[in-house]
Amino acid sequence: MLSYLILVSLLLVAPSLGQQVGNYTSESHPRLPWQECTRSGCTSKSNGAVALDSNWRWTHITGNYTNCYTGNTWNTSICTSGAQCASRCVLEGANYQQTYGISTSGNALTLKFITRGENTNIGSRVYLMASESRYQMFNLLNKEFTFDVDVSKLPCGINGALYFVQMDEDGGMSKYSGNKAGAKYGTGYCDSQCPRDIKYINGEANVEGWNASPNDTNAGTGGYGTCCAEMDIWEANSISTAYTPHPCQTTNDGGQQRCQGQVCGTPIRHDGICDPDGCDFNSYRMGDRTFYGAGKTVDTTKKMTVVTQFITDNNSTTGNLVDIRRVYVQDGRVIPNSKVNFPGLLEPFDSLTQKFCDDSKRAFEDATSFQKQGGLVHMGRSLAKGHVLVLSIWDDHTANMLWLDSSYPVDADPAKPGIARGTCATDSGDPKQVEADHPDAQVIFSNIKFGDIGSTYSGTPITLPQPPLPPGYNPPSGTTPPTGTTPSSTPTNPSTTNPAPAATQTKYGQCAGVGYSGPTQCAAGTVCTQINQFYSQCV
């Protein structure tokens, strides 16, 4: 995920990261209970809490108020090297609500976009904790992850994200002697972009080679980046949403690794050790313009439940990841994920499989770094190692969030499949404008559940109507548009009186379930096996 941090600093509140602990502000994690579920029911994890990422925190010299980092530059009179800076600077606790706009109530977490007080804070990122000093770890294989979300106050250019990254459980404290703060103070972040705006990495300041950002007065990039595998469950605003796996060829099958230069994907974006693009399923980009948004099938003016299932080839937590499926629940309706709507170009996929990723990247002429970094199988190996849950709200100083909610690249024809990702204008999303126009933006995450497939949600399944074809798209010659679309002028194949053979589902494909209308006959050597009432699989 593209993640750039913005924090307007004053004399005593500089947005930075120290690796020791100060004593001016006590650290008290806001409580956020969640539930773990089996088919017998759910139990509450009442000790759940969130910790603020350390890149947002004030860092200063031990024993006084002198900043180690101010604006978008290091104080080089203190930080002459990464190790020296870490040894001289401390990281302070956070006033979550007053300074950062982070609050919890019951099982709900609210992240406000802009918070004004003694200083002005923009955006935030927090991690779910298992204890005061350790992140909560999740192995998602053969499980489902469910949460409620309200995106009604997220306009174009802002992203309310929920995702997993392969961070160290203790924030790297045991691995790196310079890190004295650990998970309690939100250290150890990494993701598939190998971000270089992280101020401390591996217990050392990222001061050497640091360059201030030309368009962000509070950020910059250093000589190092920090890489790890990333599973984006939810990148969204009220316009568009996408879910996306990003495998990495780092140590420990995607675990955190410091990088330099081309290893980070700099200057050639797709030649690093991580997949920065991922394999995304964005309903709008996949040709269904009626599925997600205000007043649409999944109505973004209302709270919704989002369910993501991680299907393995042997229905176990140690199998190969073969399918990542999505279901929504809203107003008591179980809404299956939308289907790809480019007949003649792509099959009507409705989930993330390796075939979907291969075919969509070929059809959209996207880079194939997802395949290069091991694809879905390698992503599964990473998930089996354990991931940390991240929740954030942010705007984008690099690409204005157009990759999520507009047409991107902006100079491409939006009628070309894969270019249009949402209805936002191509000149939207500029952070200065977004911050000026939408100071009240926020996202609310609540009712987090994790457990056996089919155990975290209920409702009445519905069948989706066939959406019209995207504007400007004409199926290739010899194909027939789906029922309910406007036929193109291209002639279709003549009909025949011979009955068509029954379609056969491939191994690991869906073969039955409530609301399912695809092939029910499995390929030779496989049997249609029920996972739950909504999903059966050829295994």
Side-chain angles (χ1 to χ4, degrees):
M1 166 185 124
L2 298 171
S3 183
Y4 296 87
L5 312 180
I6 308 162
L7 185 62
V8 178
S9 61
L10 299 182
L11 178 62
L12 300 185
V13 188
S16 183
L17 168 63
Q19 292 287 278
Q20 299 185 75
V21 176
N23 57 11
Y24 294 146
T25 304
S26 62
E27 177 66 13
S28 180
H29 297 148
R31 293 295 176 187
L32 186 66
W34 57 283
Q35 296 182 69
E36 188 164 11
C37 303
T38 68
R39 292 182 179 88
S40 300
C42 299
T43 58
S44 178
K45 301 292 185 179
S46 58
N47 289 331
V50 294
L52 176 69
D53 182 282
S54 44
N55 230 44
W56 268 263
R57 297 172 182 264
W58 173 33
T59 191
H60 58 88
I61 295 179
T62 304
N64 70 48
Y65 291 95
T66 302
N67 293 333
C68 293
Y69 180 95
T70 302
N72 56 14
T73 58
W74 289 97
N75 184 339
T76 54
S77 68
I78 302 166
C79 296
T80 58
S81 71
Q84 183 198 51
C85 192
S87 68
R88 299 189 66 187
C89 299
V90 297
L91 178 68
E92 281 294 342
N95 187 324
Y96 280 78
Q97 185 167 1
Q98 182 178 342
T99 303
Y100 300 102
I102 300 166
S103 62
T104 59
S105 177
N107 64 19
L109 168 71
T110 299
L111 302 177
K112 292 187 178 296
F113 181 47
I114 296 180
T115 306
R116 303 188 192 280
E118 292 182 358
N119 67 312
T120 297
N121 176 75
I122 302 175
S124 61
R125 183 167 65 211
V126 300
Y127 310 112
L128 186 65
M129 305 295 289
S131 67
E132 281 292 296
S133 59
R134 293 196 175 267
Y135 299 127
Q136 179 66 51
M137 306 302 291
F138 292 88
N139 175 3
L140 297 169
L141 296 184
N142 197 44
K143 300 290 184 180
E144 67 186 23
F145 186 89
T146 297
F147 61 97
D148 293 351
V149 63
D150 182 345
V151 296
S152 61
K153 292 186 177 181
L154 289 181
C156 297
I158 303 179
N159 190 336
L162 181 152
Y163 58 107
F164 288 92
V165 291
Q166 196 178 332
M167 294 167 62
D168 291 327
E169 184 178 14
D170 66 353
M173 192 172 181
S174 61
K175 288 167 61 175
Y176 307 114
S177 60
N179 183 350
K180 308 300 183 184
K184 181 176 180 178
Y185 290 83
T187 69
Y189 182 72
C190 54
D191 67 34
S192 64
Q193 305 299 317
C194 299
R196 294 166 54 221
D197 61 343
I198 305 302
K199 299 179 183 73
Y200 278 71
I201 302 172
N202 291 11
E204 296 182 357
N206 197 9
V207 62
E208 296 168 37
W210 185 270
N211 292 302
S213 169
N215 66 351
D216 185 346
T217 58
N218 297 283
T221 55
Y224 291 110
T226 180
C227 309
C228 67
E230 174 182 353
M231 178 64 230
D232 294 329
I233 299 283
W234 184 253
E235 291 197 273
N237 50 36
S238 61
I239 310 300
S240 297
T241 184
Y243 73 110
T244 312
H246 298 262
C248 286
Q249 298 280 5
T250 65
T251 56
N252 191 28
D253 281 328
Q256 188 272 335
Q257 178 178 328
R258 190 167 70 173
C259 67
Q260 276 186 291
Q262 190 54 62
V263 176
C264 301
T266 303
I268 303 173
R269 175 175 168 81
H270 298 108
D271 281 357
I273 59 174
C274 286
D275 169 28
D277 295 351
C279 172
D280 63 294
F281 198 112
N282 172 333
S283 294
Y284 196 97
R285 189 184 190 211
M286 295 304 153
D288 190 339
R289 310 294 166 84
T290 67
F291 184 73
Y292 179 91
K296 297 183 179 181
T297 301
V298 177
D299 186 352
T300 56
T301 67
K302 305 175 182 179
K303 184 170 70 173
M304 68 193 76
T305 299
V306 182
V307 184
T308 310
Q309 301 173 331
F310 295 82
I311 310 299
T312 59
D313 58 358
N314 62 2
N315 300 319
S316 79
T317 58
T318 59
N320 290 322
L321 180 63
V322 294
D323 197 358
I324 308 175
R325 305 195 64 80
R326 168 59 51 82
V327 176
Y328 298 85
V329 184
Q330 192 173 57
D331 296 332
R333 304 172 305 147
V334 176
I335 306 169
N337 193 31
S338 64
K339 295 183 178 181
V340 175
N341 189 36
F342 291 115
L345 179 68
L346 286 168
E347 297 175 28
F349 297 103
D350 63 357
S351 66
L352 286 168
T353 64
Q354 189 63 48
K355 189 175 191 310
F356 162 80
C357 296
D358 293 342
D359 290 359
S360 61
K361 286 187 174 292
R362 181 170 55 250
F364 297 163
E365 299 178 357
D366 286 348
T368 56
S369 58
F370 179 77
Q371 292 91 329
K372 177 182 176 182
Q373 303 301 346
L376 213 58
V377 169
H378 195 76
M379 187 73 236
R381 289 204 298 270
S382 168
L383 292 174
K385 299 288 186 180
H387 275 225
V388 175
L389 176 62
V390 188
L391 306 103
S392 71
I393 184 170
W394 59 287
D395 58 2
D396 181 0
H397 281 255
T398 299
N400 295 351
M401 215 69 74
L402 301 177
W403 53 270
L404 174 66
D405 58 23
S406 184
S407 293
Y408 190 79
V410 297
D411 58 353
D413 180 1
K416 180 182 176 182
I419 298 300
R421 296 128 189 272
T423 58
C424 297
T426 54
D427 61 355
S428 68
D430 177 72
K432 289 184 179 179
Q433 197 66 44
V434 169
E435 292 159 19
D437 293 346
H438 302 286
D440 61 341
Q442 66 177 32
V443 62
I444 303 174
F445 296 106
S446 60
N447 200 26
I448 294 171
K449 297 181 180 180
F450 168 74
D452 295 339
I453 292 175
S455 68
T456 66
Y457 69 102
S458 62
T460 303
I462 67 168
T463 301
L464 296 178
Q466 178 62 45
L469 291 180
Y473 178 70
N474 289 317
S477 177
T479 64
T480 304
T483 302
T485 66
T486 303
S488 71
S489 58
T490 306
T492 59
N493 289 333
S495 60
T496 174
T497 58
N498 295 327
T504 300
Q505 183 59 279
T506 58
K507 187 177 182 180
Y508 307 136
Q510 185 174 3
C511 53
V514 176
Y516 175 72
S517 59
T520 57
Q521 179 177 321
C522 289
T526 64
V527 176
C528 189
T529 303
Q530 184 179 24
I531 305 299
N532 57 55
Q533 61 176 323
F534 304 106
Y535 183 72
S536 295
Q537 182 183 34
C538 291
V539 291

